[in-house]
């Protein structure tokens, strides 16, 4: 295994260790509530001020001949379907989901709605697409009751196919490389049709997501088949201009590359020389597929669902023109840098050129990065490494995405900058992480159903963020009387002691350098 692959794998493992924070809380026994949708009755749970409906199928189980097929409609059910507990997460290795999952019957969603939401005054709808590198994650990890009650919105969290089961590409296979994205579209169509029964406004829908979920929103912005499925978009730490040569941020790959990956997978599981390769692959057990799939997964473009790389589509103004709220965290790369260092890869003045070369193999580019981001003998190399990862993969691509979008649609950009954000992993990192990747999530959700471990000042920041996010979903304008004014074409810095717009965040992120050497 190359050093690049080793370091990339260690970096991607950051998502997996979030299971420490996201393990499900012990179940409770709340009262029940029943709603009728087209497929039948669903019985959810009534809580203090809100209701939840979990594990509702939005598509048929993608099993048997439907493995690697576009999502099909769910079958109606007799009687009342229990929706008081989450359904299985989509197949994935152990990590965020303790023990992982091998259950392909996973195309479900969860609805959290304010107690008094109803058809008479429908609420805006936020559809949350989870992150996890298109390989791990679950909608049920995100307890959205604070967003629903404080923001007076309906929140839908979605499970979609992951890994090879979600993004396999093979010649002659319709939907190659985009099954997980097709699932997301099926969930959005379900929302347009069914959310009114839960008090949601089917004509005011905002997909939102973080990391791979944020990039999924980008993909839907660029996907012709998603036209008319949503009205606004929220993108957190998943810039639309991600690139495959920047291995930490999500991106898409050409169909030809995805097909080559699919051919390798078929060989690993013994199907490459089969008379009917797809029939052979559909007989392979889920654990064997998970063991054989690559650590990295990306959607494929040059496909019917995603004809163009989202970066190219947005650059060429070929995307759905809806308002966008977009942003990143100030120290996106620090978590990966810390994990890589703790795995036995120190960053010192002596090792720094080799570490950079592992990620930027072009000699001229690597040397320029070492000059721009020097590690001196007395310097702690961890934050420098984190800055390179964060600037190259997130901060500067987010600035580029924002500029492209803002030229065409109303756009608001933020930077989450709480340098004391609660850690999402256990143990003591080798240097202070600041506001790393995913650290804004506890300010919007209770992860794994557990209360947020925030200070009083951080709780106030969390309330302000929920106010901004939900007002944007309601009216396109995040501003309101309870929050500092957020002008368009500025970057709103979000920290407990400083919520204020700035004209640009690029200088501290070396974006001029990456515009020249990227």
């Amino acid at each position: 295994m190359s050093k690049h692959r080793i370091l990339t794998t260690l970096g991607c493992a950051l998502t997996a260790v979030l299971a420490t924070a996201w393990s499900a809380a012990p179940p409770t026994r709340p009262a029940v509530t029943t709603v009728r949708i087209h497929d039948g009755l669903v019985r959810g749970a009534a809580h203090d001020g809100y209701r939840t409906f979990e594990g509702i199928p939005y598509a048929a189980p993608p099993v048997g001949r439907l493995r690697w097929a576009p999502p099909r409609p769910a079958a109606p059910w007799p009687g009342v379907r229990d929706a008081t507990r989450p359904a299985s997460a989509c197949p994935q290795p152990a990590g965020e989901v303790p023990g992982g999952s091998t259950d392909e019957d996973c195309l479900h969603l969860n609805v959290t709605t304010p107690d008094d939401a109803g058809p008479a005054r429908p609420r805006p709808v936020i559809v949350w697409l989870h992150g996890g590198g298109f390989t791990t994650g679950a909608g049920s990890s995100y307890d959205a009751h604070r967003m629903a009650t404080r923001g007076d919105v309906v929140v839908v969290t979605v499970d979609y196919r992951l890994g090879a089961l979600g993004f396999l590409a093979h010649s002659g296979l319709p939907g190659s490389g985009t099954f997980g994205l097709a699932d997301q579209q099926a969930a959005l169509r379900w929302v347009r049709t069914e959310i009114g029964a839960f008090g949601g406004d089917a004509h005011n829908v905002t997909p939102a997501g973080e990391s791979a979920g944020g990039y999924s929103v980008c993909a839907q912005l660029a996907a012709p088949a998603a036209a008319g499925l949503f009205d606004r978009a929220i993108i957190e730490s998943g810039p639309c201009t991600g690139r495959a040569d920047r291995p930490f941020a999500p991106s898409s790959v050409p169909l030809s590359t995805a097909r080559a990956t699919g051919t390798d997978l078929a060989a690993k599981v013994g199907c490459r020389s089969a008379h009917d390769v797809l029939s052979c692959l559909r007989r392979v057990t889920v654990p064997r597929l998970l063991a054989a799939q690559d650590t990295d997964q990306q959607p494929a473009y040059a496909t019917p669902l995603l004809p163009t790389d989202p970066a190219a589509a947005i650059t060429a103004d070929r995307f759905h023109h809806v308002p966008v709220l977009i942003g990143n965290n100030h120290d996106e790369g620090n978590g990966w840098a810390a994990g890589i260092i703790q795995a036995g890869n120190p960053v010192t003045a002596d090792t720094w050129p080799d570490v950079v070369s592992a990620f930027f193999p072009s000699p001229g580019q690597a040397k320029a990065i070492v000059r721009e981001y020097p590690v001196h003998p007395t310097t702690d190399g961890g934050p420098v490494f984190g800055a390179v990862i964060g600037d190259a993969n997130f901060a500067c691509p987010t600035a580029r995405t924002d500029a492209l979008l803002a030229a065409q649609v109303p756009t608001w950009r933020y930077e989450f900058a709480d340098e004391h954000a609660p850690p999402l992993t256990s143990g003591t990192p080798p240097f202070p992480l600041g506001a790393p990747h995913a650290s804004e999530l506890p300010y919007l959700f209770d992860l794994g159903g557990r209360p947020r471990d925030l200070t009083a000042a951080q709780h106030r920041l969390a309330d302000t963020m929920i106010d901004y996010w939900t007002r944007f979903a309601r009216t396109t304008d995040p501003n309101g009387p309870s929050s500092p004014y957020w002008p368009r074409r500025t970057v709103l810095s979000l920290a407990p002691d400083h919520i204020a717009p700035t004209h640009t965040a690029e200088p501290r992120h070396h974006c001029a350098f990456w515009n020249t050497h990227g």
Side-chain angles (χ1 to χ4, degrees):
M1 180 181 284
S2 69
K3 184 175 182 181
H4 179 275
R5 173 61 63 182
I6 292 171
L7 296 183
T8 300
T9 301
L10 286 168
C12 291
L14 175 69
T15 301
V17 298
L18 293 178
T20 303
W22 293 3
S23 299
T28 59
R29 293 182 178 274
V32 297
T33 179
T34 302
V35 166
R36 179 179 293 279
I37 59 176
H38 286 86
D39 290 329
L41 289 166
V42 291
R43 181 178 60 246
H47 309 266
D48 183 14
Y50 66 99
R51 297 172 293 152
T52 55
F53 300 84
E54 302 179 275
I56 302 173
Y58 66 85
V63 299
R65 294 186 61 82
L66 295 185
R67 179 189 278 184
W68 297 308
R72 307 288 176 85
W77 51 84
V80 181
R81 182 184 180 94
D82 180 57
T84 60
R85 58 179 61 85
S88 296
C90 283
Q92 58 191 279
E96 177 184 328
V97 175
S101 173
T102 59
D103 189 353
E104 291 182 86
D105 182 4
C106 67
L107 300 186
H108 302 94
L109 49 76
N110 314 293
V111 179
T112 304
T113 182
D115 241 354
D116 58 349
R121 190 170 69 88
R123 288 4 184 228
V125 183
I126 294 177
V127 180
W128 181 256
L129 305 176
H130 68 77
F134 294 112
T135 305
T136 64
S140 58
S141 293
Y142 300 84
D143 179 338
H145 80 274
R146 296 181 190 273
M147 183 179 290
T149 55
R150 181 175 180 86
D152 199 27
V153 297
V154 174
V155 183
V156 179
T157 64
V158 179
D159 287 303
Y160 55 93
R161 281 175 283 183
L162 301 166
L165 288 164
F167 299 97
L168 175 80
H170 192 277
S171 60
L173 179 62
S176 273
T178 59
F179 299 108
L181 298 181
D183 295 341
Q184 295 169 7
Q185 290 183 3
L188 288 167
R189 286 192 292 271
W190 184 96
V191 167
R192 286 292 204 203
T193 301
E194 305 287 5
I195 204 63
F198 301 89
D201 184 352
H203 303 290
N204 189 356
V205 176
T206 300
E210 182 267 344
S211 195
Y215 191 80
S216 293
V217 177
C218 292
Q220 302 303 347
L221 283 171
L229 293 182
F230 53 92
D231 307 282
R232 281 169 269 284
I234 297 175
I235 301 167
E236 300 176 27
S237 301
C240 303
T241 52
R243 293 166 22 180
D245 63 345
R246 305 287 168 81
F248 295 102
S251 63
S252 55
V253 296
L255 179 58
S256 57
T257 300
R259 283 180 173 172
T261 300
T263 298
D264 290 343
L265 178 74
K268 289 178 183 177
V269 298
C271 290
R272 184 172 186 175
S273 59
H275 175 69
D276 187 335
V277 173
L278 290 175
S279 293
C280 178
L281 283 169
R282 288 185 171 117
R283 291 192 297 269
V284 176
T285 65
V286 171
R288 192 176 180 193
L289 286 172
L290 293 178
Q293 72 183 15
D294 280 354
T295 300
D296 304 322
Q297 298 289 327
Q298 297 92 16
Y301 65 88
T303 59
L305 188 146
L306 196 61
T308 308
D309 181 0
I314 289 171
T315 301
D317 189 21
R318 293 198 301 270
F319 66 94
H320 305 306
H321 282 202
V322 300
V324 177
L325 188 156
I326 185 171
N328 60 276
N329 297 349
H330 184 268
D331 306 295
E332 292 274 5
N334 279 358
W336 280 290
I340 292 169
I341 290 169
Q342 288 178 313
N345 299 275
V347 177
T348 66
D350 292 335
T351 65
W352 182 224
D354 289 338
V355 171
V356 172
S357 296
F359 292 94
F360 302 92
S362 171
Q365 186 185 39
K367 290 179 180 178
I369 293 169
V370 170
R371 288 194 301 270
E372 182 74 11
Y373 297 82
V375 174
H376 302 294
T378 58
T379 302
D380 185 344
V384 179
F385 187 20
V388 171
I389 294 172
D391 290 357
N393 290 271
F394 294 97
C396 300
T398 297
R400 172 64 175 161
T401 300
D402 171 66
L404 292 169
L405 293 171
Q408 305 297 334
V409 299
T411 306
W412 277 265
R413 179 174 158 213
Y414 72 89
E415 182 176 75
F416 178 78
D418 183 0
E419 62 180 315
H420 301 295
L424 294 178
T425 59
S426 60
T428 302
F431 61 90
L433 299 185
H437 191 64
S439 59
E440 88 284 8
L441 293 176
Y443 295 71
L444 300 171
F445 302 96
D446 285 8
L447 300 180
R450 297 186 182 278
R452 301 175 293 185
D453 184 18
L454 305 179
T455 66
Q458 289 171 330
H459 272 290
R460 290 192 294 271
L461 173 60
D463 288 346
T464 300
M465 290 173 62
I466 288 174
D467 290 345
Y468 282 134
W469 267 234
T470 56
R471 283 193 297 250
F472 172 80
R474 177 170 288 103
T475 68
T476 300
D477 187 346
N479 290 294
S482 62
S483 308
Y485 185 64
W486 182 356
R488 285 171 56 187
R489 302 190 182 280
T490 64
V491 181
L492 187 73
S493 178
L494 294 167
D497 57 349
H498 185 76
I499 301 174
T502 61
H503 288 292
T504 178
E506 277 83 311
R508 63 185 175 193
H509 287 301
H510 299 252
C511 291
F513 170 83
W514 290 104
N515 290 338
T516 302
H517 295 87

